[in-house]
Amino acid sequence: MTTMTDAALAEFKMPDVGEGLTEAEILKWYVQPGDVVTDGQVVCEVETAKAAVELPIPFNGVVQELRFPEGTTVDVGQVIIAVDVAGGSGSADAAPAPVSVSVSVPEPTAPEPEPEAEPKGRQPVLVGYGVSEASTKRRPRKGDVVAAPAAVTEPAPEPQTPAKGNGRPLAKPPVRKLAKDLGVDLASLTPSGPDGIITREDVHAAVAPALEPTVTPAQALLLSPEPVAVAPAAVQDGVRETRIPVKGVRKATAAAMIGSAFTAPHVTEFVTVDVTRTMKLVEELKADKEMQGLRVNPLLLIAKALLVAIKRNPEISASWDEAAQEIVRKHYVNLGIAAATPRGLIVPNIKDAHAKTLPELASALGELVATAREGKTSPGAMQGGTVTITNVGVFGVDTGTPILNPGESAILAVGAIKLQPWVLKGKVKPRQVTTLALSFDHRLVDGELGSKVLADVAAILEQPKRLITWA
């Protein structure tokens, strides 16, 4: 959203980065007044009610003014940054324009040369590859002493990351972090993604031999998004209460949960099941060459079991249209995975999960979890869900009574998998056991239908060969 106030000044407004969002909080500015920016360069990061999103600017120029400081909540449509588009040509003899500063920023110690070329690897997308290190340069401020033109020493070329072809390897931020954590040189990989983009699977494939499991099935818990450790805020001695503003993801979650709890009549059913055979299958799949480089864990098979159960009972994939007084049957499954992040609970979903093979589902699940941990989940990834899985087992608890994600018909809670005494063929033996809980909207789902779905999931996890016979 851009407004031209005169021939030289362009204003960039806060866009609607989701569907129907009305405001966003400015988390971080990547530029300051006096910086040169280029078309497609990310200038700030904002947090909406659904996700953190990087905003690229749609023109070249010199930053004149930041209208709001970091931490400010801004309505959609308000101007957040003004850019002098006439001063962005990079001409060496152009006189510096006056800079209006609304945000306190440090003055530069010395002016730097303006860039002669556009940054490499930048794509004008809402959630992109991040800010290139050399994508902003400082202009001389008004009042600085401007000497006569003199010889300028050519700066030493910035070392380039080795890559196949020209430029640095293309990869999304979560993939870059994964490669860094695993010690993988992106330039050494052969991209398998579209347009030469390196994918998470490429990185995993490079280190697959070194990623052998170190825990046994008896020690393993479900591996959905692990809880993120967040350091508690410092508390001064003598302070008995602390007030925290409700905004962003927390505000949206609160409104959604209240709306769901007091709109959809919830029913929750429980079942305890022996998943020993499923845990053995997980270990076998980890050694399968078709699954190499993919993240294989119990959550993957639980997700597949739920998809098969929905295929056998398709009426559960539906939503309630209050305005039209209609039940909308959905002939697809967008499978949500509840994820705990530093910003709060989010529920991104895997689009058309019902149509994916097991390797495809594993790949999509791994990408979803990694992106959520990085805080880069897009608003679109959290829209249109049909059913959700929430894994409370990672916290060591047995189960819970989950609240429906608004607009969805059911949510499956999975408890911790533990060794427990279990009667098998008339004898008590130690078995891997977990408890499942299925909450559903009783306007859409009768007790019989909900019970069938939960029973089918349990039956598949007890005898995973049903993934084949029932698929």
Side-chain angles (χ1 to χ4, degrees), residues 46-60:
V46 301
E47 182 181 36
T48 70
K50 297 181 178 180
V53 179
E54 293 178 333
L55 298 183
I57 200 152
F59 37 73
N60 302 325

Side-chain angles (χ1 to χ4, degrees), residues 27-275:
L27 294 179
K28 183 177 182 180
W29 283 107
Y30 294 126
V31 296
Q32 296 174 347
D35 288 348
V36 175
V37 294
T38 56
D39 185 2
Q41 177 182 328
V42 173
V43 295
C44 68
E45 182 182 25
V46 301
E47 182 181 36
T48 70
K50 297 181 178 180
V53 179
E54 293 178 333
L55 298 183
I57 200 152
F59 37 73
N60 302 325
V62 178
V63 177
Q64 288 289 304
E65 182 181 7
L66 306 180
R67 296 291 175 86
F68 299 95
E70 294 176 355
T72 304
T73 298
V74 181
D75 291 336
V76 169
Q78 284 190 279
V79 177
I80 60 174
I81 183 173
V83 174
D84 178 7
V85 294
S89 61
S91 175
D93 57 356
V99 178
S100 171
V101 181
S102 292
V103 181
S104 177
V105 295
E107 289 290 331
T109 57
E112 298 179 9
E114 296 181 12
E116 295 295 336
E118 294 185 359
K120 297 180 180 180
R122 169 60 53 202
Q123 298 295 330
V125 294
L126 285 179
V127 181
Y129 296 113
V131 180
S132 299
E133 291 183 0
S135 62
T136 60
K137 296 292 182 182
R138 178 72 63 191
R139 275 179 63 97
R141 304 299 183 88
K142 183 178 180 181
D144 288 344
V145 177
V146 181
V152 178
T153 303
E154 185 70 20
E158 186 174 341
Q160 297 291 326
T161 303
K164 291 179 172 63
N166 296 326
R168 64 201 293 250
L170 296 180
K172 294 181 179 180
V175 178
R176 291 188 181 279
K177 183 177 186 302
L178 175 66
K180 180 179 179 181
D181 293 342
L182 297 179
V184 176
D185 181 7
L186 290 177
S188 68
L189 304 183
T190 300
S192 63
D195 301 323
I197 294 177
I198 296 173
T199 66
R200 180 168 296 278
E201 289 69 36
D202 297 333
V203 177
H204 280 304
V207 296
L211 295 181
E212 294 299 325
T214 58
V215 295
T216 65
Q219 299 168 325
L221 290 177
L222 290 170
L223 298 179
S224 80
E226 285 91 347
V228 179
V230 180
V235 179
Q236 298 179 356
D237 292 340
V239 176
R240 293 171 62 85
E241 295 180 353
T242 300
R243 290 182 175 269
I244 302 172
V246 178
K247 56 185 179 179
V249 175
R250 175 59 59 190
K251 182 177 181 179
T253 300
M257 292 300 96
I258 291 174
S260 177
F262 293 100
T263 300
H266 285 55
V267 173
T268 305
E269 296 185 341
F270 306 87
V271 64
T272 302
V273 57
D274 176 4
V275 295

Side-chain angles (χ1 to χ4, degrees), residues 326-343:
E326 294 176 340
I327 293 175
V328 182
R329 290 280 168 79
K330 301 180 179 180
H331 309 296
Y332 59 90
V333 180
N334 291 343
L335 182 62
I337 304 294
T341 73
R343 289 189 174 94

Side-chain angles (χ1 to χ4, degrees), residues 267-271 400 436-440 446-448 450-452 454:
V267 173
T268 305
E269 296 185 341
F270 306 87
V271 64
L436 308 175
L438 183 72
S439 292
F440 49 86
D446 293 333
E448 179 184 10
S451 299
K452 286 182 177 179
L454 183 58

